[in-house]
Amino acid sequence: MSLLQRSLFSALLGAALLQGAHANTLLILTDDFGSGAPVTELDARGFSATDYDDLSSGTPSLSLLQGFDEVLEYTDYPSNDPTALGNVLGQYVAGGGHVVIGTYAMSDPWAVGGSIASLNPLVNVGSNTGVSGAIVLTAAGANLGVGVDFNTLSYYNNGNFADPTLAAGATLLATDGAGVDMIAINSANNVIGFNTFPNDQSGVDNDQYYNLLGNVLNDFGPSAQSAPDATSTALLLLVGAVSACFIARKQTQRA
C-alpha cells in the first residue's frame, strides 16, 4: 500500500469510527397515541426513531427495548402498569441501555414506578408545578447548548410538570431559571431526567426545542458524541487527502 493509499485509508477509517460512535437507534415509549411521538423531528437530527405508543394497554418486553441503543419514555396518561414499566426500563439500563425520562413520567398521577424510579436523577416527590417556559443550562450542561438558540426556544408546559428533587450523586444540567430542576443525569451516566413533554400537542415545541432534545439524547457520559454531518465528514477526508499529497511530494523531493 502506497503512502497516499495509507493516508486515505486512515481518513476513511476515522470517518467510519466517528459515524459508528453515534447511538442512533431510538425507541420512543409513550401512551400518547392520539397525537403521535416526535419521530420525524428526531429522525431529522440523526436518529432512527421508532414509536411504541401503547403503554396505556400493555408493557413492552425487555427484548424489544434491547433492540435499541436508547429509549425516550414519557407519559400523558397513567400507564397500564407503572411498576412493571419501570422495572423493564431498569432491567434495560442494567444491561447497558440508556434512558431519557420526560414529563409526565415524574409527576403524579402519571409517574412511572419500579426500579427505574430509583435510577432517575430527577426524583418525583409528589409535587407538581408550573414552570417558567425557559431552559437555563448549568455549567455542567453547557454542551447541551450546541446548536440551540435559547432566546427563541419554546416548549409546551402547564401546571402538571414535575417539581422534583435532585437524586444523590446526580448532576444538574438545566433549570427553568425559576427554581425548578429541568434536566439532570444520574451518577452512572445512563439515565437522564428531562422535565419537558416531547410530544407537542399545541404547536409550541419548536425546532430549537428538538435541537435540545437531540443533544440530551446524545449526552450520556464523556464518551458520547453526535454523528458528524456530511460536511464534517467531507472535510475529514479532504484533510487526509491533502496531507497524503503533501507527504508524497516531500518524499519525491528527497528521492
Side-chain angles (χ1 to χ4, degrees):
M1 183 182 288
S2 70
L3 182 61
L4 177 60
Q5 289 172 325
R6 287 198 301 270
S7 297
L8 288 173
F9 175 78
S10 296
L12 287 167
L13 179 62
L17 290 173
L18 283 173
Q19 292 284 356
H22 180 46
N24 66 342
T25 56
L26 171 69
L27 178 63
I28 304 174
L29 295 180
T30 178
D31 52 28
D32 194 32
F33 52 87
S35 43
V39 173
T40 300
E41 291 86 352
L42 292 172
D43 281 348
R45 287 158 178 83
F47 295 92
S48 178
T50 299
D51 179 14
Y52 179 99
D53 59 8
D54 201 23
L55 292 182
S56 59
S57 61
T59 300
S61 67
L62 178 60
S63 61
L64 172 66
L65 272 60
Q66 288 173 332
F68 296 85
D69 297 306
E70 299 182 54
V71 171
L72 169 64
E73 190 277 330
Y74 60 95
T75 62
D76 195 21
Y77 304 94
S79 299
N80 175 261
D81 190 334
T83 299
L85 174 60
N87 284 339
V88 75
L89 286 169
Q91 293 170 348
Y92 169 71
V93 170
H98 296 90
V99 174
V100 172
I101 302 175
T103 292
Y104 299 91
M106 295 174 285
S107 53
D108 292 333
W110 313 277
V112 174
S115 59
I116 196 66
S118 64
L119 301 176
N120 193 341
L122 295 179
V123 180
N124 172 31
V125 292
S127 175
N128 300 347
T129 188
V131 296
S132 71
I135 296 290
V136 180
L137 298 181
T138 66
N143 62 310
L144 297 182
V146 176
V148 181
D149 181 359
F150 288 93
N151 293 319
T152 59
L153 183 150
S154 65
Y155 61 93
Y156 172 80
N157 63 90
N158 61 17
N160 292 321
F161 272 43
D163 189 9
T165 60
L166 191 66
T171 300
L172 184 63
L173 304 177
T175 72
D176 75 333
V180 179
D181 293 343
M182 298 297 289
I183 309 174
I185 189 167
N186 69 349
S187 58
N189 290 335
N190 53 22
V191 178
I192 290 178
F194 186 56
N195 192 14
T196 71
F197 188 62
N199 185 9
D200 181 24
Q201 297 182 5
S202 305
V204 179
D205 294 352
N206 64 5
D207 282 343
Q208 299 308 311
Y209 169 81
Y210 287 113
N211 287 344
L212 174 63
L213 177 56
N215 288 347
V216 167
L217 287 163
N218 277 316
D219 194 49
F220 285 107
S223 62
Q225 55 182 317
S226 299
D229 56 24
T231 300
S232 61
T233 302
L235 286 173
L236 178 62
L237 295 173
L238 178 61
V239 168
V242 170
S243 298
C245 291
F246 178 77
I247 294 171
R249 180 180 177 186
K250 284 291 187 181
Q251 293 288 350
T252 301
Q253 291 174 342
R254 290 175 183 172

